[in-house]
Structure formats: C-alpha cells, structure tokens
Amino acid sequence: MKMHNFYAGPAVLPQETIDGTIEALREFAGTGMSLAEISHRIKEFESIMAEAQSLFKEILSIPEGYQVLFLGGGASLQFCMVPFNLMRKKAAYLNTGTWASKALKEAKLFGDVVEIRFDPEGKDFATLPADYEIPADADYFHITTNNTIYGTEIRYDMDSPVPLVADMSSDIFSRPVDVSKYALIYGGAQKNLAPAGVTFVIVREDVLGKVTHKIPSMLDYRTHIKEGSMFNTPPVIPIYAAVLTLRWIKANGGVAEMERRNIEKAAILYDEIERNSLFFTPVNKDDRSIMNVYFNVKPEHEALYGDFLKFATAQGMIGLKGHRSVGGYRASLYNALAKESVEELVRVMRDYEKAKLG
Ligand SMILES: *Cc1c(COP(=O)(O)O)cnc(C)c1O
C-alpha cells in the first residue's frame, strides 16, 4: 500500500533526496567511501557546503550582506542563540503558539521581553494577532512565521521598525520571501528540507557584534561565519540531503512554483473540511497555514475522533494525529507532499462521511 506521509516533522522529503542520500551513503562523490565516513574537510564535501550556501542564496534571492550558516542544535538552540547575540536590553516577541512561547521563554533569560499575542488571557492561538505596535526601542522583534501545531501562518513579509527575526522552521522554501525585510531567519531542516540534524541561519552581518557581554565561541554567529560553518564538525548527512532538496526545488520551478502548489493543495483540503459535515477547523480563515492544516471532528461527533484516525491510517494516511498539546488532526502538506496525497485524504474523508451519515 502506498503511504501518504502527513507527519509534521521529521516529514516527507522528495524521492530524489532519499535516493541520492542512500547513494552517497554507499559511495560519496567518487571517493570510494561512504558519506558517513569521509572527513568534512575534503574538497568534495567543501563543495557540497558551498553549494548549500549558494543554492540558499539563489533560491531565496538573498541580497548582499547576508550569510548562510548550517549549524547543529535544532531551531531550539536558536531560541537562546538569538537573544545571546542580539539582545542588549529588550526584545519583543509575537506569541503565536507553542514554538513562539518556547523562544520567548529563553529570551527572558537575557533581558526584558515584550509579549504580543492575540488573546492575552486565554490560550487561543487559532487567530493571529493584528493591529499591534512593534516597540521601537526593542533590540529586535521575533516572529514564528508558521505555527506548526495550531496551523496558522504569517504568509507575508512585514515591515518592522527594529531588526526582524523569524523562526521559519516549518515554512521555509514554501513561498518566496523578501529576505531584505529580515535581520535573521532560522529553522530546523526537518520540516521542508532534510532529515533532522541541521539548522539553517540566514543572518545580516551588520546586526552582529552589538552586545557587550562575552559569547561562548560555539554560540557566537561570528565564529561560524568566519569558519564557513566548519568551526566544528558539521552534520554532513543532513547537509548533503538539504542540497539534494534544494536542487529539487530549483528544478521544479523554485519557491514561486512551490507556493503555487502549496496553495492549491491547502485549498483542496480546507474546502473539504468546510464541506464535510463531520469535520471543522477552528482556525481563523485569513490566518490558515498552507503547510499544516489543523482540523477536528465537530463537537457533536466527538466520539468518532479515534475511529476516523483508525479508518484513515488503515488506508495509508500516516501522521494525522494532532500534536499532543492540542489534540485534533493535523495534515502537514510540506513541499514534497504530492497533490495526489491530499486528494486521497479528501477521498478518505468523504468515504468516512458516507459510512457514518449515509
Ligand atoms: C519543529 C519546530 C521547532 C523545533 O525545532 P527543533 O529543530 O526540533 O529544535 C521550532 N520552531 C518551529 C516553528 C517548529 O516547527
């Protein structure tokens, strides 16, 4: 049976990425050795690292003055590296969900944090904050462009009076981004790019070096810029896989085409959720993510929650269970997920409706 991979992360990758990585694990670039056992200092790998950087710059049209880094530690390490490198006194955070909350919590270790959220009292992350003012005296403003868990997404590049920092873990390369609006963009690779193990950082160099405290070498972006992401041993396997995915994106029309496909896929699923009398989504219409679609059975059909999950899983729909913190279902529609998989999910939802309601 064909499996349709809706996991939120690690997640579906292009077949070319999987096959090419397997090949390189057998033998890397004609070296007679596996990618898993070569030194990262050999010229064949140095050229992979250079290609990773240049494909990032090309596909995202990154302007002059920015550096692209490949680091360890996941997006979660960036939650502390960002304030450590950028915060003198005060930062502002847009709290749009679980990951944004985690980033904010780390920032509080380094100074004053202004929190902006839609619902200051409750826990409602189904709507994005609007009409807020970014404090002009903050050292930076941090946003999480895609809320992987609740399924909201900031799908435009905002103007900010202070340096704008974005966690784009789960929507990088899903649409064209005006990088010039951002001082720093980071993300774990395991949503739209590669297997887990590498974190990308796109940073405008002029925002660095403004804090007065000392920064440990490993946590200082300038160390990694100076050493070309080879200060210590980089995660060579996911970096190689990322290059294969970037080549795939480029060969498939770049981020503009990725966005067209993603909008189309998301529309197919959201339309069905609205049409189908068993399901609904609480996510505010204007704020819906095209990467992670959150939905649930309607309250009056609550008893069917587990039954639908079983029904769908039995037909190869994998990874639909929502995050443990919010329940419900979540279908992740990353770049590499084919439109056919979304169409299959819609068919399964229709079959289930017919089976239950006739
Ligand atoms: C998955 C995710 C993270 C966590 O990434 P790690 O690499 O596991 O630390 C952070 N932010 C967002 C938006 C995510 O989707």
Side-chain angles (χ1 to χ4, degrees):
M1 180 171 55
K2 172 158 173 51
M3 296 298 170
H4 301 277
N5 182 352
F6 293 99
Y7 278 129
V12 61
L13 290 169
Q15 195 57 45
E16 287 84 339
T17 301
I18 306 289
D19 293 344
T21 305
I22 291 169
E23 223 169 275
L25 283 168
R26 291 224 174 79
E27 189 192 345
F28 172 60
T31 57
M33 289 169 283
S34 166
L35 177 63
E37 59 182 2
I38 48 110
S39 163
H40 56 290
R41 304 274 176 203
I42 62 173
K43 66 177 188 320
E44 289 85 351
F45 187 76
E46 282 188 340
S47 90
I48 289 297
M49 182 65 98
E51 187 180 350
Q53 288 160 349
S54 69
L55 282 173
F56 252 78
K57 289 183 177 167
E58 181 185 344
I59 294 171
L60 292 174
S61 310
I62 300 177
E64 289 291 304
Y66 288 79
Q67 296 279 347
V68 180
L69 304 174
F70 297 97
L71 310 176
S76 299
L77 184 62
Q78 297 308 310
F79 296 166
C80 80
M81 263 177 92
V82 164
F84 213 163
N85 282 268
L86 302 185
M87 203 198 293
R88 278 161 294 177
K89 267 211 338 253
K90 179 175 172 180
Y93 276 67
L94 193 69
N95 192 350
T96 48
T98 309
W99 294 116
S101 302
K102 288 188 178 180
L104 187 150
K105 176 168 171 255
E106 296 302 304
K108 283 183 176 166
L109 299 172
F110 298 89
D112 297 332
V113 175
V114 178
E115 177 180 2
I116 299 165
R117 61 190 284 173
F118 171 71
D119 174 16
E121 302 298 320
K123 293 168 72 178
D124 184 9
F125 289 122
T127 301
L128 289 171
D131 302 328
Y132 51 85
E133 209 161 302
I134 303 168
D137 61 342
D139 296 322
Y140 64 89
F141 180 51
H142 182 282
I143 62 174
T144 308
T145 48
N146 184 56
N147 184 337
T148 324
I149 292 175
Y150 298 84
T152 61
E153 187 176 9
I154 301 168
R155 271 175 52 207
Y156 62 95
D157 304 304
M158 64 177 71
D159 292 309
S160 168
V162 299
L164 183 62
V165 175
D167 175 356
M168 293 198 187
S169 292
S170 55
D171 62 352
I172 190 77
F173 295 112
S174 68
R175 65 170 177 92
V177 168
D178 181 355
V179 174
S180 72
K181 298 253 170 114
Y182 300 84
L184 193 150
I185 298 171
Y186 67 87
Q190 69 273 20
K191 313 288 166 59
N192 227 354
L193 199 58
V198 66
T199 312
F200 65 86
V201 176
I202 302 165
V203 58
R204 202 174 67 219
E205 272 188 280
D206 68 6
V207 295
L208 301 175
K210 299 199 168 153
V211 296
T212 50
H213 56 250
K214 294 197 166 69
I215 306 174
S217 309
M218 263 302 277
L219 300 183
D220 191 333
Y221 293 118
R222 291 170 302 177
T223 306
H224 300 288
I225 291 173
K226 191 159 155 271
E227 301 295 334
S229 299
M230 298 248 203
F231 172 67
N232 68 323
T233 319
V236 297
I237 297 170
I239 290 172
Y240 186 78
V243 165
L244 298 179
T245 303
L246 293 168
R247 288 180 192 161
W248 176 86
I249 293 172
K250 190 176 158 184
N252 279 273
V255 277
E257 173 62 12
M258 293 297 125
E259 182 181 43
R260 191 198 63 75
R261 293 180 190 181
N262 291 329
I263 288 173
E264 185 184 24
K265 287 184 290 179
I268 291 170
L269 185 51
Y270 282 119
D271 284 351
E272 174 61 15
I273 292 166
E274 303 219 317
R275 189 210 58 78
N276 195 305
S277 39
L278 292 176
F279 302 101
F280 82 111
T281 178
V283 180
N284 186 38
K285 202 160 190 167
D286 290 339
D287 300 332
R288 289 178 185 171
S289 170
I290 57 170
M291 290 280 95
N292 310 94
V293 177
Y294 177 83
F295 63 108
N296 208 340
V297 278
K298 287 183 178 161
E300 63 268 32
H301 299 299
E302 201 183 347
L304 295 177
Y305 174 77
D307 190 55
F308 171 70
L309 206 53
K310 254 206 262 166
F311 181 86
T313 309
Q315 297 181 67
M317 306 292 130
I318 307 300
L320 287 179
K321 194 172 191 229
H323 191 267
R324 58 193 182 281
S325 61
V326 292
Y329 311 112
R330 172 176 49 175
S332 297
L333 315 180
Y334 297 119
N335 285 347
L337 186 86
K339 182 172 134 189
E340 290 68 37
S341 291
V342 184
E343 288 168 343
E344 272 300 285
L345 175 56
V346 165
R347 181 192 58 72
V348 166
M349 291 164 76
R350 289 185 177 189
D351 287 354
Y352 191 69
E353 182 190 36
K354 225 178 269 161
K356 293 295 146 182
L357 303 178

